[in-house]
């Protein structure tokens, strides 16, 4: 059994760890949910340019007073920081597909041993649509997956092979959960960091993804 | 005789009377921003049905908004035969009608959605994109390999009518946009036979600096001043 951590601790831990990976000046797109929190945890001295796929480069935090004319991709109002720009959707997705984004951070339903990601639909339930996710995972230089280690029913989300319809094939660069950090390297998923609450055996028991262990395996960074 | 360069300004009701049953209809907007709310309300009132709605999303329809918001109303009101969109998860009527087989639904990745419109408007026969390769989106589409990489062939998207939302217009139809209300509107203005623009203000010819114009007036057929509806006044 994996230990049960406070939900807010989990969300902020994952966001903080991903924020530590972002370089100063990076252009980054944040998805809804945990990814949104990444901008709250950037290390001192690191500034990133937030891109929202509906047409802002340089988006700022939710303003005190909502203005529906300035909305983020998740439907939350945003502010425009000095130096930001407004672009139409075709330019926005040109930037995304064209490899101009350094990173995109998204949630997952499943992520697997072959760097495949499923996060847009559950057949027979909801068919919400893929929105911009398929373009983002295809075009961004690095695809960060921010997800709890298990789903709500306690099943691993880091799986051997995705069973749900894919958002992108072989697109994932880094997976961060509350218990570990895994990187796609040399055609393999490689475990680099593990949280102090779990042993490697416990992690394995709750992860069906096929992964290697880095010779430099270290305690997970940025833990509160 | 009035110059053809000067675009007619109409009421929303008169403008949407040009939208006929069975029409394909592009509607601008992403979430709340850049939506021609006044034109949509008039179209809901008119009740024109059998529409093929082409819009990024179908906005909201939920407990808080049972009748829907913006063009979400067109779905709730049963005026659509088909919806082409990238995301419909926030409109429960779209989900429900689709599940009941009463609505045809074509989901397109957002970048491919806007690029298909751009192709439609700019005379291109389609484009090759890596987006969706290796996913269910690939099914039924032509996949081509270029320099060792696989691409999906996406085809152009056009419409009979586009209703779009701008910020300032001049009488020539030149448009500017505000905030994230720009989104799909400039692309849609290129890709429909009839383009109706709802705007916050209509200025005299020459009162918008040509350097600021985003959509050239030659693309816009009819101007409508936004009304005093809840969302029209807040966007």
């Amino acid at each position: 059994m994996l230990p049960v951590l406070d939900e807010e601790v989990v969300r902020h831990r994952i966001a903080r760890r991903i924020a530590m990976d972002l370089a100063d000046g990076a252009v980054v797109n944040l998805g809804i949910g945990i990814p949104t929190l990444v901008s709250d945890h950037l290390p001192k001295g690191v500034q990133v340019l937030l891109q929202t796929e509906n047409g802002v480069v340089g988006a700022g935090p939710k303003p005190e007073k909502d203005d529906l004319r300035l909305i983020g991709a998740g439907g939350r109002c945003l502010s425009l920081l000095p130096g930001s720009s407004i672009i139409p959707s075709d330019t926005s997705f040109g930037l995304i597909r064209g490899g101009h984004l350094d990173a995109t951070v998204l949630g997952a339903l499943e992520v697997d041993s072959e760097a495949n990601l499923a996060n847009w639909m559950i057949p027979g339930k909801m068919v919400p649509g893929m929105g911009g996710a398929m373009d983002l995972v295809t075009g961004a230089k690095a695809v960060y997956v921010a997800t709890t280690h298990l789903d709500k029913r306690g099943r691993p989300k880091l799986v051997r092979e995705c069973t749900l319809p894919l958002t992108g094939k072989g697109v994932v660069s880094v997976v961060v959960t509350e218990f570990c950090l895994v990187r796609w390297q040399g055609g393999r998923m490689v475990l680099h960091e593990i949280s102090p609450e779990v042993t490697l055996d416990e992690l394995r028991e709750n992860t069906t993804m096929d992964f290697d262990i880095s010779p430099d395996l270290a305690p997970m960074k940025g833990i509160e | 005789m009035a110059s053809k360069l000067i675009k007619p300004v109409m009421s929303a009701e008169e403008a949407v009377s040009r939208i006929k049953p069975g029409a394909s209809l592009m509607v601008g907007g992403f979430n709340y921003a850049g939506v021609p709310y006044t034109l949509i309300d008039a179209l809901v009132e008119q009740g024109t049905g059998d529409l093929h709605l082409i819009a990024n999303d179908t906005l909201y329809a939920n407990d808080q908004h049972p009748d829907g918001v913006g063009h979400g109303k067109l779905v709730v009101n049963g005026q659509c035969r088909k919806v082409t969109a990238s995301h419909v998860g926030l409109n429960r009527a779209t989900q429900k009608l689709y599940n009941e087989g009463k609505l045809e639904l074509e989901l397109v990745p957002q970048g491919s959605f806007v690029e298909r419109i751009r192709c439609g408007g700019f005379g291109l026969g389609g484009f090759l994109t890596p987006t969706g390769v290796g996913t269910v989106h690939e099914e039924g589409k032509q996949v081509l390999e270029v320099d060792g990489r696989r691409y999906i062939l996406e085809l152009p998207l056009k419409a009979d009518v586009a209703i779009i939302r701008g910020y300032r217009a001049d009488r020539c139809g030149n448009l500017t946009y505000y905030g994230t209300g720009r989104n799909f509107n400039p692309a849609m203005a290129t890709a429909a036979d009839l383009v109706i623009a709802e705007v916050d203000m209509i200025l005299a010819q020459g009162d918008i600096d040509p350097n600021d114009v985003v959509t050239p007036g030659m693309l816009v057929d009819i101007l409508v001043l936004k009304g005093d509806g809840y969302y029209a006044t807040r966007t």
Side-chain angles (χ1 to χ4, degrees), chain B residues 162-186:
Chain B
I163 56 176
I164 63 170
R165 174 71 184 275
Y167 178 50
R168 293 181 300 157
D170 67 13
R171 285 302 307 273
C172 300
N174 293 306
L175 300 180
T176 71
Y177 298 90
Y178 190 94
T180 56
R182 184 175 309 203
N183 57 65
F184 302 88
N185 286 298

Side-chain angles (χ1 to χ4, degrees), chain B residues 69-152:
Chain B
V69 173
H71 43 289
K73 290 179 182 179
L74 295 171
V75 179
V76 176
N77 208 27
Q79 290 175 259
C80 301
R81 131 182 73 88
K82 177 177 178 180
V83 169
T84 298
S86 86
H87 194 274
V88 295
L90 302 174
N91 185 320
R92 69 178 177 199
T94 312
Q95 296 278 325
K96 184 169 176 287
L97 293 171
Y98 169 69
N99 287 335
E100 292 170 359
K102 293 174 181 163
L103 180 72
E104 191 184 338
L105 183 59
E106 179 189 24
L107 291 170
V108 186
Q110 200 170 133
S112 300
F113 175 79
V114 67
E115 198 63 17
R116 286 180 61 190
I117 295 169
R118 223 180 65 84
C119 280
F122 288 118
L124 299 173
F127 63 100
L128 299 176
T129 178
T131 299
V133 167
T135 76
V136 291
H137 184 66
E138 189 182 299
E139 286 168 15
K141 295 185 181 66
Q142 209 176 328
V143 176
L144 289 94
E145 198 170 302
V146 182
D147 287 341
R149 192 172 183 192
R150 298 176 76 231
Y151 296 89
I152 293 177

Side-chain angles (χ1 to χ4, degrees), chain A residues 135-148:
Chain A
D135 299 282
L136 283 160
V137 300
T138 303
K141 286 181 192 153
V143 176
Y144 284 82
V145 172
T147 179
T148 55

Side-chain angles (χ1 to χ4, degrees), chain A residues 52-56 67-76 78 80 86-90 93 97 120-121 125-136 138 165-169, chain B residues 30-33 60 86-89 95 98-99 105 107-112 114-115 118 129-137 149 167 178-184 186 231 234-235:
Chain A
T52 71
E53 63 265 31
N54 60 320
V56 179
D67 180 345
L68 295 181
R69 299 176 300 174
L70 288 168
I71 207 147
R76 224 166 67 128
L78 50 73
L80 296 178
I86 295 279
I87 52 176
S89 301
D90 49 331
F93 281 91
R97 272 192 317 266
W120 75 282
M121 73 170 285
K125 284 193 171 176
M126 282 278 281
V127 189
M130 64 293 275
M134 283 188 180
D135 299 282
L136 283 160
T138 303
L166 297 184
T167 309
K169 191 172 169 62
Chain B
F30 180 107
N31 202 291
Y32 286 115
Y60 296 93
S86 86
H87 194 274
V88 295
Q95 296 278 325
Y98 169 69
N99 287 335
L105 183 59
L107 291 170
V108 186
Q110 200 170 133
S112 300
V114 67
E115 198 63 17
R118 223 180 65 84
T129 178
T131 299
V133 167
T135 76
V136 291
H137 184 66
R149 192 172 183 192
Y167 178 50
Y178 190 94
T180 56
R182 184 175 309 203
N183 57 65
F184 302 88
Y231 289 107
R234 282 166 176 76
T235 55

